[in-house]
Amino acid sequence: MAKHALRSSGGHMWRSLACAKSELRLELTLACGQSFRWRESGEGHWTGVLGGRVWTLTQTDDTLWYHVYKNREGQTCGPAGTSSPGVKTSETRTKGAVKEVDELVAVASVKDAEEEEEMLRDYFQLNVKLEELYADWRAADPHFKHIADIFTGVRMLRQDPTECLFSFICTSNNHISRIQGMVDRLCLALGAPLCQLDQTSYHDFPALAALADSSVEARLRDLGFGYRARFLQQSAKQILDTHGLQWLKGLRSVPYLQARDALRTLPGVGNKVADCVCLMSLDKAEAVPVDTHVWQIAKRDYKYATGNRQKSITDKLHRDIGDFFRKLWGPFAGWTQSVLFCADLKKFQKLKEMPRLVQPKKEEEDEEETRIACKKKKIKTEENGTVKRAKTKPAGHKKANLSVKNERVV
DNA sequence: GCACGACCTTA
DNA sequence: AAGGTCGTG
Protein backbone atom coordinates (compact mmCIF):
# COMPACT_ATOMS: atom_id res chain seq x y z
CA MET A 1 0.00 0.00 0.00
CA ALA A 2 1.19 3.53 -0.77
CA LYS A 3 2.71 5.47 2.09
CA HIS A 4 3.01 9.10 3.04
CA ALA A 5 6.24 10.55 1.74
CA LEU A 6 9.04 11.32 4.19
CA ARG A 7 12.00 13.30 2.94
CA SER A 8 14.49 11.45 5.12
CA SER A 9 13.50 7.92 4.10
CA GLY A 10 13.89 8.23 0.33
CA GLY A 11 11.73 6.33 -2.13
CA HIS A 12 9.81 9.45 -3.06
CA MET A 13 10.63 12.13 -5.54
CA TRP A 14 10.92 15.55 -3.97
CA ARG A 15 11.14 18.88 -5.70
CA SER A 16 12.01 22.16 -4.08
CA LEU A 17 11.51 25.88 -4.10
CA ALA A 18 13.71 28.53 -2.51
CA CYS A 19 11.74 29.91 0.43
CA ALA A 20 12.99 31.23 3.76
CA LYS A 21 11.11 30.46 6.96
CA SER A 22 10.65 34.16 7.50
CA GLU A 23 8.46 34.05 4.38
CA LEU A 24 6.57 30.89 5.28
CA ARG A 25 6.21 28.60 8.24
CA LEU A 26 4.15 25.57 7.36
CA GLU A 27 3.29 24.52 10.90
CA LEU A 28 1.70 27.91 11.59
CA THR A 29 0.24 28.72 8.20
CA LEU A 30 -1.36 25.33 7.59
CA ALA A 31 -2.75 24.85 11.09
CA CYS A 32 -4.07 28.24 12.12
CA GLY A 33 -7.59 27.68 10.86
CA GLN A 34 -7.36 29.13 7.35
CA SER A 35 -7.56 25.76 5.65
CA PHE A 36 -8.93 22.68 7.34
CA ARG A 37 -7.39 20.30 4.81
CA TRP A 38 -3.80 19.79 6.01
CA ARG A 39 -2.56 17.23 8.52
CA GLU A 40 0.89 16.60 9.91
CA SER A 41 1.60 13.20 8.37
CA GLY A 42 5.10 12.95 9.79
CA GLU A 43 7.40 15.21 11.77
CA GLY A 44 7.32 18.56 9.97
CA HIS A 45 5.58 16.94 7.01
CA TRP A 46 2.16 18.24 5.97
CA THR A 47 -0.13 16.29 3.69
CA GLY A 48 -3.27 17.60 2.05
CA VAL A 49 -5.21 18.16 -1.15
CA LEU A 50 -4.60 21.14 -3.37
CA GLY A 51 -5.87 21.65 -6.89
CA GLY A 52 -7.14 18.08 -7.17
CA ARG A 53 -3.79 16.57 -6.25
CA VAL A 54 -2.42 15.11 -3.04
CA TRP A 55 0.73 16.77 -1.73
CA THR A 56 3.19 16.40 1.10
CA LEU A 57 5.13 19.53 2.05
CA THR A 58 8.07 20.02 4.36
CA GLN A 59 10.74 22.65 4.75
CA THR A 60 14.30 23.33 5.75
CA ASP A 61 15.73 26.76 6.58
CA ASP A 62 15.79 28.14 3.05
CA THR A 63 13.85 25.56 1.09
CA LEU A 64 10.28 24.41 0.67
CA TRP A 65 10.15 20.75 -0.38
CA TYR A 66 7.16 19.15 -2.02
CA HIS A 67 6.04 15.79 -3.25
CA VAL A 68 3.01 15.20 -5.46
CA TYR A 69 1.62 11.69 -5.42
CA LYS A 70 1.50 9.96 -8.82
CA ASN A 71 0.78 6.45 -9.98
CA ARG A 72 3.29 4.40 -11.99
CA GLU A 73 2.16 5.87 -15.30
CA GLY A 74 3.13 9.31 -14.19
CA GLN A 75 -0.47 10.33 -13.87
CA THR A 76 -1.55 12.49 -11.03
CA CYS A 77 -3.00 10.24 -8.40
CA GLY A 78 -6.66 10.82 -9.02
CA PRO A 79 -9.75 10.03 -11.06
CA ALA A 80 -9.75 9.79 -14.84
CA GLY A 81 -10.07 13.12 -16.54
CA THR A 82 -7.92 15.04 -14.12
CA SER A 83 -4.66 13.59 -15.36
CA SER A 84 -2.43 14.65 -18.21
CA PRO A 85 -3.97 13.97 -21.62
CA GLY A 86 -2.58 11.37 -23.98
CA VAL A 87 -1.30 8.97 -21.36
CA LYS A 88 -2.68 5.47 -21.77
CA THR A 89 -3.17 2.99 -18.97
CA SER A 90 -1.04 -0.16 -19.05
CA GLU A 91 -3.98 -2.34 -20.11
CA THR A 92 -4.34 -0.49 -23.39
CA ARG A 93 -0.66 -0.54 -24.24
CA THR A 94 0.77 -2.60 -27.04
CA LYS A 95 4.49 -3.40 -27.23
CA GLY A 96 5.12 -1.08 -30.13
CA ALA A 97 3.43 1.81 -28.41
CA VAL A 98 5.48 1.57 -25.25
CA LYS A 99 8.24 3.89 -26.36
CA GLU A 100 5.80 6.47 -27.63
CA VAL A 101 3.83 6.33 -24.42
CA ASP A 102 6.98 6.65 -22.34
CA GLU A 103 7.87 9.80 -24.24
CA LEU A 104 4.43 11.16 -23.63
CA VAL A 105 4.84 10.35 -19.97
CA ALA A 106 8.18 12.15 -19.89
CA VAL A 107 6.77 15.23 -21.60
CA ALA A 108 3.72 15.17 -19.36
CA SER A 109 5.81 14.97 -16.21
CA VAL A 110 7.93 17.96 -17.20
CA LYS A 111 4.76 19.89 -17.85
CA ASP A 112 3.30 18.70 -14.56
CA ALA A 113 6.41 19.77 -12.71
CA GLU A 114 6.22 23.31 -14.06
CA GLU A 115 2.52 23.44 -13.38
CA GLU A 116 2.94 22.18 -9.84
CA GLU A 117 5.63 24.68 -8.94
CA GLU A 118 3.30 27.40 -10.16
CA MET A 119 0.38 25.96 -8.19
CA LEU A 120 2.43 26.15 -5.03
CA ARG A 121 3.65 29.69 -5.68
CA ASP A 122 0.09 30.71 -6.28
CA TYR A 123 -1.33 28.91 -3.23
CA PHE A 124 1.23 30.45 -0.88
CA GLN A 125 1.23 33.77 -2.76
CA LEU A 126 5.02 33.76 -2.72
CA ASN A 127 5.10 36.92 -4.83
CA VAL A 128 3.97 38.76 -1.69
CA LYS A 129 7.06 39.59 0.34
CA LEU A 130 5.99 38.81 3.88
CA GLU A 131 9.16 40.06 5.53
CA GLU A 132 8.60 43.52 4.11
CA LEU A 133 5.02 43.52 5.34
CA TYR A 134 6.15 42.47 8.81
CA ALA A 135 8.60 45.38 8.81
CA ASP A 136 5.78 47.80 7.99
CA TRP A 137 3.51 46.33 10.65
CA ARG A 138 6.24 46.38 13.29
CA ALA A 139 6.83 50.06 12.60
CA ALA A 140 3.13 50.87 12.80
CA ASP A 141 2.14 48.76 15.79
CA PRO A 142 4.15 48.03 18.95
CA HIS A 143 1.84 45.20 19.94
CA PHE A 144 2.42 43.49 16.62
CA LYS A 145 6.14 43.98 17.10
CA HIS A 146 5.88 42.18 20.39
CA ILE A 147 4.25 39.14 18.74
CA ALA A 148 6.21 39.18 15.49
CA ASP A 149 9.50 37.89 16.87
CA ILE A 150 7.94 34.53 17.59
CA PHE A 151 5.19 34.25 15.01
CA THR A 152 7.17 34.78 11.84
CA GLY A 153 6.15 33.36 8.49
CA VAL A 154 2.38 33.39 9.01
CA ARG A 155 1.10 33.89 5.53
CA MET A 156 -2.31 34.08 3.90
CA LEU A 157 -3.15 31.16 1.61
CA ARG A 158 -4.87 31.76 -1.70
CA GLN A 159 -7.50 29.06 -1.48
CA ASP A 160 -10.03 27.78 -3.93
CA PRO A 161 -13.14 29.97 -3.46
CA THR A 162 -15.61 27.07 -3.40
CA GLU A 163 -13.63 25.14 -0.82
CA CYS A 164 -13.14 28.26 1.25
CA LEU A 165 -16.81 29.30 1.19
CA PHE A 166 -18.27 25.92 2.07
CA SER A 167 -15.64 25.22 4.71
CA PHE A 168 -16.36 28.52 6.43
CA ILE A 169 -20.11 28.03 6.36
CA CYS A 170 -19.26 25.13 8.68
CA THR A 171 -17.44 27.36 11.17
CA SER A 172 -20.40 29.15 12.72
CA ASN A 173 -20.80 28.51 16.42
CA ASN A 174 -18.12 25.87 16.19
CA HIS A 175 -14.51 25.09 17.05
CA ILE A 176 -11.53 24.14 14.91
CA SER A 177 -11.22 20.47 15.85
CA ARG A 178 -14.86 19.80 15.06
CA ILE A 179 -14.70 21.86 11.87
CA GLN A 180 -11.77 19.79 10.65
CA GLY A 181 -13.72 16.60 11.18
CA MET A 182 -16.74 18.01 9.41
CA VAL A 183 -14.76 19.16 6.37
CA ASP A 184 -13.12 15.73 6.29
CA ARG A 185 -16.49 14.01 6.24
CA LEU A 186 -17.80 16.45 3.64
CA CYS A 187 -14.98 15.53 1.24
CA LEU A 188 -15.25 11.82 1.96
CA ALA A 189 -18.99 11.84 1.35
CA LEU A 190 -19.25 14.12 -1.68
CA GLY A 191 -15.79 14.62 -3.15
CA ALA A 192 -14.02 12.56 -5.80
CA PRO A 193 -11.55 10.02 -4.37
CA LEU A 194 -7.93 10.78 -5.16
CA CYS A 195 -5.80 8.19 -3.43
CA GLN A 196 -5.06 6.34 -0.25
CA LEU A 197 -1.87 6.70 1.79
CA ASP A 198 -1.32 4.43 4.76
CA GLN A 199 -4.77 4.30 6.37
CA THR A 200 -5.98 7.65 5.07
CA SER A 201 -8.21 8.26 2.04
CA TYR A 202 -7.78 11.55 0.28
CA HIS A 203 -10.71 13.07 -1.60
CA ASP A 204 -11.08 16.24 -3.56
CA PHE A 205 -13.30 18.98 -2.20
CA PRO A 206 -16.87 18.43 -3.51
CA ALA A 207 -17.96 20.19 -6.68
CA LEU A 208 -20.73 22.76 -6.50
CA ALA A 209 -23.12 20.40 -8.29
CA ALA A 210 -22.54 17.68 -5.69
CA LEU A 211 -23.24 20.13 -2.85
CA ALA A 212 -26.39 21.46 -4.52
CA ASP A 213 -28.14 18.10 -4.78
CA SER A 214 -31.38 17.98 -2.81
CA SER A 215 -30.28 14.85 -0.94
CA VAL A 216 -27.35 16.69 0.59
CA GLU A 217 -29.06 18.29 3.59
CA ALA A 218 -30.31 15.00 5.05
CA ARG A 219 -27.01 13.32 4.27
CA LEU A 220 -24.98 15.99 6.03
CA ARG A 221 -27.31 16.12 9.01
CA ASP A 222 -26.59 12.44 9.47
CA LEU A 223 -22.91 13.27 9.38
CA GLY A 224 -23.30 15.70 12.27
CA PHE A 225 -23.43 19.05 10.46
CA GLY A 226 -26.49 20.22 12.38
CA TYR A 227 -28.29 23.28 11.07
CA ARG A 228 -25.35 24.05 8.76
CA ALA A 229 -26.38 21.16 6.50
CA ARG A 230 -29.20 23.23 5.05
CA PHE A 231 -26.98 26.31 4.57
CA LEU A 232 -24.44 24.30 2.59
CA GLN A 233 -26.98 22.77 0.22
CA GLN A 234 -28.96 25.99 -0.20
CA SER A 235 -25.93 28.14 -0.86
CA ALA A 236 -24.66 25.72 -3.50
CA LYS A 237 -28.06 25.61 -5.16
CA GLN A 238 -28.44 29.37 -5.08
CA ILE A 239 -25.04 29.90 -6.71
CA LEU A 240 -25.76 27.44 -9.52
CA ASP A 241 -29.35 28.61 -10.08
CA THR A 242 -28.86 32.35 -10.02
CA HIS A 243 -25.20 32.93 -10.87
CA GLY A 244 -23.47 29.93 -12.42
CA LEU A 245 -20.36 27.88 -11.87
CA GLN A 246 -17.82 30.64 -12.46
CA TRP A 247 -19.47 33.28 -10.30
CA LEU A 248 -17.45 32.75 -7.13
CA LYS A 249 -14.08 32.94 -8.84
CA GLY A 250 -15.29 36.00 -10.72
CA LEU A 251 -15.58 37.84 -7.41
CA ARG A 252 -11.77 37.97 -7.38
CA SER A 253 -11.86 40.84 -9.84
CA VAL A 254 -14.53 42.83 -7.99
CA PRO A 255 -13.89 45.38 -5.19
CA TYR A 256 -13.89 44.10 -1.61
CA LEU A 257 -17.18 45.47 -0.35
CA GLN A 258 -18.98 44.46 -3.50
CA ALA A 259 -17.70 40.89 -3.22
CA ARG A 260 -18.58 40.81 0.48
CA ASP A 261 -22.15 41.97 -0.10
CA ALA A 262 -22.55 39.47 -2.91
CA LEU A 263 -21.45 36.64 -0.63
CA ARG A 264 -23.79 37.81 2.11
CA THR A 265 -26.79 37.07 -0.07
CA LEU A 266 -26.05 33.36 0.46
CA PRO A 267 -27.71 31.50 3.33
CA GLY A 268 -25.36 30.88 6.24
CA VAL A 269 -23.04 33.66 5.14
CA GLY A 270 -22.89 36.72 7.37
CA ASN A 271 -20.19 39.35 7.87
CA LYS A 272 -17.65 37.05 9.43
CA VAL A 273 -17.83 34.20 6.92
CA ALA A 274 -17.97 36.61 3.97
CA ASP A 275 -14.84 38.36 5.21
CA CYS A 276 -13.03 35.04 5.60
CA VAL A 277 -13.88 34.06 2.02
CA CYS A 278 -12.86 37.50 0.73
CA LEU A 279 -9.54 37.42 2.55
CA MET A 280 -8.61 33.77 2.06
CA SER A 281 -9.77 33.07 -1.47
CA LEU A 282 -10.81 36.27 -3.27
CA ASP A 283 -7.65 38.38 -3.03
CA LYS A 284 -9.12 40.93 -0.61
CA ALA A 285 -6.11 41.48 1.64
CA GLU A 286 -7.89 44.34 3.41
CA ALA A 287 -10.76 42.17 4.64
CA VAL A 288 -10.57 41.73 8.42
CA PRO A 289 -12.83 38.92 9.64
CA VAL A 290 -14.16 40.01 13.02
CA ASP A 291 -15.25 37.20 15.30
CA THR A 292 -15.56 37.06 19.08
CA HIS A 293 -11.89 36.22 19.23
CA VAL A 294 -10.72 39.21 17.22
CA TRP A 295 -13.01 41.40 19.27
CA GLN A 296 -11.28 40.15 22.43
CA ILE A 297 -7.92 40.97 20.86
CA ALA A 298 -9.13 44.47 19.98
CA LYS A 299 -10.33 45.11 23.52
CA ARG A 300 -7.47 43.42 25.35
CA ASP A 301 -4.47 44.45 23.25
CA TYR A 302 -5.65 47.70 21.67
CA LYS A 303 -7.99 49.03 24.35
CA TYR A 304 -10.64 49.28 21.69
CA ALA A 305 -14.03 50.42 22.98
CA THR A 306 -13.26 49.20 26.48
CA GLY A 307 -16.55 50.52 27.75
CA ASN A 308 -18.53 48.46 25.28
CA ARG A 309 -20.65 45.81 26.93
CA GLN A 310 -22.24 44.44 23.76
CA LYS A 311 -22.94 40.73 23.80
CA SER A 312 -22.82 40.04 20.09
CA ILE A 313 -20.92 41.63 17.24
CA THR A 314 -23.25 43.89 15.33
CA ASP A 315 -22.89 45.10 11.75
CA LYS A 316 -21.61 48.40 13.03
CA LEU A 317 -19.04 46.80 15.31
CA HIS A 318 -17.79 44.72 12.36
CA ARG A 319 -17.34 47.84 10.30
CA ASP A 320 -15.73 49.89 13.02
CA ILE A 321 -13.26 47.24 14.15
CA GLY A 322 -12.36 46.49 10.54
CA ASP A 323 -11.80 50.19 9.87
CA PHE A 324 -9.77 50.51 13.04
CA PHE A 325 -7.38 47.75 12.04
CA ARG A 326 -7.17 48.86 8.41
CA LYS A 327 -6.17 52.30 9.56
CA LEU A 328 -3.55 50.89 11.90
CA TRP A 329 -2.09 48.19 9.64
CA GLY A 330 -2.83 49.35 6.11
CA PRO A 331 -4.11 47.60 2.98
CA PHE A 332 -2.94 44.11 4.07
CA ALA A 333 -4.74 44.34 7.41
CA GLY A 334 -6.33 40.93 6.92
CA TRP A 335 -2.89 39.36 6.75
CA THR A 336 -1.82 41.14 9.93
CA GLN A 337 -4.93 39.99 11.72
CA SER A 338 -4.15 36.38 10.87
CA VAL A 339 -0.74 36.66 12.55
CA LEU A 340 -2.30 37.91 15.78
CA PHE A 341 -5.08 35.39 15.53
CA CYS A 342 -2.55 32.62 15.13
CA ALA A 343 -0.53 33.89 18.09
CA ASP A 344 -3.67 33.69 20.22
CA LEU A 345 -4.51 30.07 19.46
CA LYS A 346 -4.19 27.76 22.42
CA LYS A 347 -2.16 25.19 20.51
CA PHE A 348 0.58 27.73 19.79
CA GLN A 349 0.92 29.15 23.30
CA LYS A 350 3.90 26.94 24.02
CA LEU A 351 5.89 28.86 21.42
CA LYS A 352 5.65 31.93 23.63
CA GLU A 353 7.29 30.14 26.53
CA MET A 354 10.37 29.13 24.57
CA PRO A 355 13.50 31.13 25.35
CA ARG A 356 14.13 34.03 23.03
CA LEU A 357 17.07 36.28 22.23
CA VAL A 358 15.01 39.42 22.55
CA GLN A 359 14.17 40.45 26.09
CA PRO A 360 10.39 40.58 26.44
CA LYS A 361 9.06 44.01 27.18
CA LYS A 362 6.95 44.91 30.18
CA GLU A 363 3.27 44.86 29.42
CA GLU A 364 2.42 48.39 30.56
CA GLU A 365 5.18 49.77 28.40
CA ASP A 366 3.77 47.84 25.48
CA GLU A 367 0.27 49.14 26.09
CA GLU A 368 1.46 52.69 26.39
CA GLU A 369 3.23 52.41 23.05
CA THR A 370 0.07 51.03 21.51
CA ARG A 371 -1.81 54.06 22.78
CA ILE A 372 0.81 56.38 21.33
CA ALA A 373 0.77 54.58 17.97
CA CYS A 374 -3.00 54.87 17.76
CA LYS A 375 -2.90 58.52 18.76
CA LYS A 376 -0.35 59.28 16.07
CA LYS A 377 -2.64 57.78 13.46
CA LYS A 378 -5.62 59.53 15.03
CA ILE A 379 -7.43 56.27 15.63
CA LYS A 380 -9.97 56.21 18.40
CA THR A 381 -9.68 53.25 20.72
CA GLU A 382 -11.97 54.26 23.54
CA GLU A 383 -15.10 55.24 21.73
CA ASN A 384 -18.06 53.35 23.07
CA GLY A 385 -20.01 53.07 19.90
CA THR A 386 -21.44 56.59 19.91
CA VAL A 387 -18.58 58.26 18.10
CA LYS A 388 -18.73 58.10 14.32
CA ARG A 389 -15.74 58.19 12.02
CA ALA A 390 -15.98 60.39 8.99
CA LYS A 391 -15.53 57.67 6.37
CA THR A 392 -17.96 55.18 7.89
CA LYS A 393 -20.67 54.23 5.46
CA PRO A 394 -24.16 52.90 6.20
CA ALA A 395 -24.51 49.18 6.78
CA GLY A 396 -24.53 47.04 3.68
CA HIS A 397 -27.96 45.60 3.10
CA LYS A 398 -28.64 41.94 2.51
CA LYS A 399 -29.20 42.24 -1.22
CA ALA A 400 -26.07 42.51 -3.34
CA ASN A 401 -26.09 45.76 -5.25
CA LEU A 402 -23.44 45.50 -7.88
CA SER A 403 -24.02 48.98 -9.25
CA VAL A 404 -23.22 50.83 -6.05
CA LYS A 405 -19.57 51.73 -5.61
CA ASN A 406 -19.07 51.96 -1.91
CA GLU A 407 -15.49 50.74 -1.77
CA ARG A 408 -13.96 52.14 1.37
CA VAL A 409 -10.74 54.11 1.20
CA VAL A 410 -8.07 52.65 3.42
C1' DG B 1 -28.98 50.18 15.46
C1' DC B 2 -29.16 46.83 19.11
C1' DA B 3 -30.76 42.81 22.09
C1' DC B 4 -32.44 38.28 22.27
C1' DG B 5 -33.28 33.49 21.32
C1' DA B 6 -33.04 29.62 18.34
C1' DC B 7 -30.19 26.62 15.79
C1' DC B 8 -27.04 21.21 15.76
C1' DT B 9 -23.24 19.01 18.16
C1' DT B 10 -19.53 18.25 21.13
C1' DA B 11 -16.01 19.48 24.73
C1' DA C 1 -19.40 27.97 25.11
C1' DA C 2 -17.35 26.93 20.58
C1' DG C 3 -13.79 31.58 15.20
C1' DG C 4 -22.04 32.85 13.71
C1' DT C 5 -26.34 33.58 11.22
C1' DC C 6 -31.12 34.62 11.00
C1' DG C 7 -35.52 36.16 12.41
C1' DT C 8 -37.96 39.01 15.54
C1' DG C 9 -39.00 42.95 18.42
Short mmCIF file of all heavy atoms in Angstrom, two decimals, chain A residues 32-33 173-174 268 270 273, chain C residues 1-7:
data_model
loop_
_atom_site.label_atom_id
_atom_site.label_comp_id
_atom_site.label_asym_id
_atom_site.label_seq_id
_atom_site.Cartn_x
_atom_site.Cartn_y
_atom_site.Cartn_z
N CYS A 32 -3.51 27.14 11.33
CA CYS A 32 -4.07 28.24 12.12
C CYS A 32 -5.53 28.50 11.77
O CYS A 32 -6.08 29.54 12.12
CB CYS A 32 -3.23 29.50 11.94
SG CYS A 32 -3.26 30.18 10.26
N GLY A 33 -6.16 27.55 11.11
CA GLY A 33 -7.59 27.68 10.86
C GLY A 33 -7.97 28.44 9.60
O GLY A 33 -9.09 28.88 9.45
N ASN A 173 -20.49 29.09 15.12
CA ASN A 173 -20.80 28.51 16.42
C ASN A 173 -20.09 27.17 16.61
O ASN A 173 -20.70 26.19 17.00
CB ASN A 173 -22.31 28.27 16.49
CG ASN A 173 -22.88 28.61 17.84
OD1 ASN A 173 -22.17 28.58 18.83
ND2 ASN A 173 -24.14 28.95 17.87
N ASN A 174 -18.84 27.13 16.32
CA ASN A 174 -18.12 25.87 16.19
C ASN A 174 -16.66 26.05 16.57
O ASN A 174 -16.19 27.17 16.70
CB ASN A 174 -18.23 25.41 14.72
CG ASN A 174 -18.27 23.91 14.59
OD1 ASN A 174 -17.93 23.20 15.51
ND2 ASN A 174 -18.68 23.44 13.43
N GLY A 268 -26.44 31.34 5.38
CA GLY A 268 -25.36 30.88 6.24
C GLY A 268 -24.11 31.73 6.12
O GLY A 268 -23.09 31.44 6.75
N GLY A 270 -22.77 35.38 6.79
CA GLY A 270 -22.89 36.72 7.37
C GLY A 270 -21.58 37.47 7.18
O GLY A 270 -20.73 37.08 6.37
N VAL A 273 -18.15 35.19 7.93
CA VAL A 273 -17.83 34.20 6.92
C VAL A 273 -17.48 34.88 5.59
O VAL A 273 -16.51 34.51 4.92
CB VAL A 273 -18.99 33.21 6.74
CG1 VAL A 273 -18.77 32.32 5.53
CG2 VAL A 273 -19.15 32.35 7.99
P DA C 1 -20.55 29.20 29.65
OP1 DA C 1 -20.59 30.14 30.61
OP2 DA C 1 -20.37 27.83 29.48
"O5'" DA C 1 -20.83 29.85 28.23
"C5'" DA C 1 -19.97 30.52 27.34
"C4'" DA C 1 -18.91 29.67 26.65
"O4'" DA C 1 -19.29 28.30 26.50
"C3'" DA C 1 -18.63 30.20 25.25
"O3'" DA C 1 -17.24 30.06 24.98
"C2'" DA C 1 -19.47 29.28 24.36
"C1'" DA C 1 -19.40 27.97 25.11
N9 DA C 1 -20.62 27.17 24.93
C8 DA C 1 -21.91 27.56 25.15
N7 DA C 1 -22.80 26.63 24.89
C5 DA C 1 -22.03 25.54 24.48
C6 DA C 1 -22.36 24.25 24.06
N6 DA C 1 -23.62 23.81 24.01
N1 DA C 1 -21.35 23.43 23.72
C2 DA C 1 -20.10 23.88 23.78
N3 DA C 1 -19.67 25.07 24.16
C4 DA C 1 -20.69 25.87 24.50
P DA C 2 -16.61 30.83 23.76
OP1 DA C 2 -15.31 31.32 24.22
OP2 DA C 2 -17.62 31.74 23.19
"O5'" DA C 2 -16.36 29.65 22.70
"C5'" DA C 2 -15.73 28.48 23.13
"C4'" DA C 2 -15.56 27.55 21.94
"O4'" DA C 2 -16.73 26.73 21.83
"C3'" DA C 2 -15.42 28.27 20.60
"O3'" DA C 2 -14.52 27.56 19.76
"C2'" DA C 2 -16.84 28.25 20.04
"C1'" DA C 2 -17.35 26.93 20.58
N9 DA C 2 -18.80 26.92 20.83
C8 DA C 2 -19.58 27.96 21.24
N7 DA C 2 -20.84 27.66 21.38
C5 DA C 2 -20.90 26.32 21.04
C6 DA C 2 -21.96 25.41 20.99
N6 DA C 2 -23.21 25.72 21.29
N1 DA C 2 -21.67 24.14 20.61
C2 DA C 2 -20.40 23.83 20.31
N3 DA C 2 -19.33 24.61 20.32
C4 DA C 2 -19.64 25.85 20.70
P DG C 3 -13.52 28.39 18.96
OP1 DG C 3 -12.86 27.62 17.89
OP2 DG C 3 -12.78 29.00 20.07
"O5'" DG C 3 -14.37 29.56 18.39
"C5'" DG C 3 -15.27 29.62 17.38
"C4'" DG C 3 -15.28 31.05 16.90
"O4'" DG C 3 -13.94 31.43 16.60
"C3'" DG C 3 -16.08 31.21 15.62
"O3'" DG C 3 -16.63 32.51 15.57
"C2'" DG C 3 -15.06 31.04 14.54
"C1'" DG C 3 -13.79 31.58 15.20
N9 DG C 3 -12.63 30.81 14.77
C8 DG C 3 -12.14 29.65 15.27
N7 DG C 3 -11.10 29.22 14.64
C5 DG C 3 -10.87 30.17 13.67
C6 DG C 3 -9.87 30.25 12.67
O6 DG C 3 -8.96 29.46 12.45
N1 DG C 3 -10.00 31.39 11.90
C2 DG C 3 -10.99 32.34 12.06
N2 DG C 3 -10.97 33.36 11.22
N3 DG C 3 -11.93 32.27 12.97
C4 DG C 3 -11.81 31.17 13.74
P DG C 4 -17.91 32.63 16.45
OP1 DG C 4 -17.82 34.00 16.96
OP2 DG C 4 -18.11 31.51 17.35
"O5'" DG C 4 -19.00 32.55 15.30
"C5'" DG C 4 -18.88 33.48 14.25
"C4'" DG C 4 -19.79 33.05 13.16
"O4'" DG C 4 -20.78 32.20 13.72
"C3'" DG C 4 -20.50 34.21 12.53
"O3'" DG C 4 -20.73 33.91 11.16
"C2'" DG C 4 -21.76 34.33 13.35
"C1'" DG C 4 -22.04 32.85 13.71
N9 DG C 4 -22.62 32.67 15.03
C8 DG C 4 -22.16 33.14 16.24
N7 DG C 4 -22.90 32.79 17.24
C5 DG C 4 -23.92 32.05 16.67
C6 DG C 4 -25.05 31.40 17.27
O6 DG C 4 -25.35 31.37 18.46
N1 DG C 4 -25.84 30.76 16.31
C2 DG C 4 -25.57 30.74 14.97
N2 DG C 4 -26.42 30.08 14.20
N3 DG C 4 -24.53 31.33 14.39
C4 DG C 4 -23.77 31.96 15.30
P DT C 5 -21.39 35.01 10.24
OP1 DT C 5 -20.81 34.86 8.90
OP2 DT C 5 -21.36 36.31 10.93
"O5'" DT C 5 -22.91 34.52 10.18
"C5'" DT C 5 -23.19 33.22 9.73
"C4'" DT C 5 -24.69 33.00 9.67
"O4'" DT C 5 -25.20 32.78 11.01
"C3'" DT C 5 -25.49 34.17 9.09
"O3'" DT C 5 -26.38 33.63 8.15
"C2'" DT C 5 -26.19 34.78 10.31
"C1'" DT C 5 -26.34 33.58 11.22
N1 DT C 5 -26.38 33.87 12.69
C2 DT C 5 -27.37 33.29 13.46
O2 DT C 5 -28.25 32.59 13.00
N3 DT C 5 -27.30 33.59 14.80
C4 DT C 5 -26.35 34.37 15.43
O4 DT C 5 -26.39 34.55 16.64
C5 DT C 5 -25.33 34.93 14.57
C7 DT C 5 -24.27 35.79 15.16
C6 DT C 5 -25.39 34.65 13.25
P DC C 6 -27.36 34.59 7.33
OP1 DC C 6 -27.53 33.98 6.02
OP2 DC C 6 -26.89 35.98 7.46
"O5'" DC C 6 -28.73 34.46 8.14
"C5'" DC C 6 -29.21 33.17 8.49
"C4'" DC C 6 -30.57 33.30 9.16
"O4'" DC C 6 -30.38 33.51 10.58
"C3'" DC C 6 -31.41 34.47 8.66
"O3'" DC C 6 -32.75 34.04 8.45
"C2'" DC C 6 -31.31 35.50 9.77
"C1'" DC C 6 -31.12 34.62 11.00
N1 DC C 6 -30.37 35.26 12.10
C2 DC C 6 -30.70 34.99 13.44
O2 DC C 6 -31.62 34.21 13.67
N3 DC C 6 -30.01 35.59 14.43
C4 DC C 6 -29.01 36.42 14.13
N4 DC C 6 -28.36 36.98 15.16
C5 DC C 6 -28.65 36.71 12.78
C6 DC C 6 -29.34 36.11 11.81
P DG C 7 -33.80 34.96 7.74
OP1 DG C 7 -34.40 34.15 6.68
OP2 DG C 7 -33.19 36.27 7.46
"O5'" DG C 7 -34.89 35.18 8.89
"C5'" DG C 7 -35.42 34.06 9.58
"C4'" DG C 7 -36.09 34.52 10.85
"O4'" DG C 7 -35.09 34.96 11.79
"C3'" DG C 7 -37.06 35.69 10.65
"O3'" DG C 7 -38.32 35.36 11.21
"C2'" DG C 7 -36.39 36.86 11.39
"C1'" DG C 7 -35.52 36.16 12.41
N9 DG C 7 -34.32 36.91 12.78
C8 DG C 7 -33.42 37.51 11.92
N7 DG C 7 -32.44 38.12 12.54
C5 DG C 7 -32.72 37.92 13.88
C6 DG C 7 -32.01 38.36 15.04
O6 DG C 7 -30.97 39.03 15.10
N1 DG C 7 -32.63 37.94 16.21
C2 DG C 7 -33.77 37.20 16.26
N2 DG C 7 -34.23 36.90 17.48
N3 DG C 7 -34.45 36.78 15.20
C4 DG C 7 -33.86 37.18 14.05
#
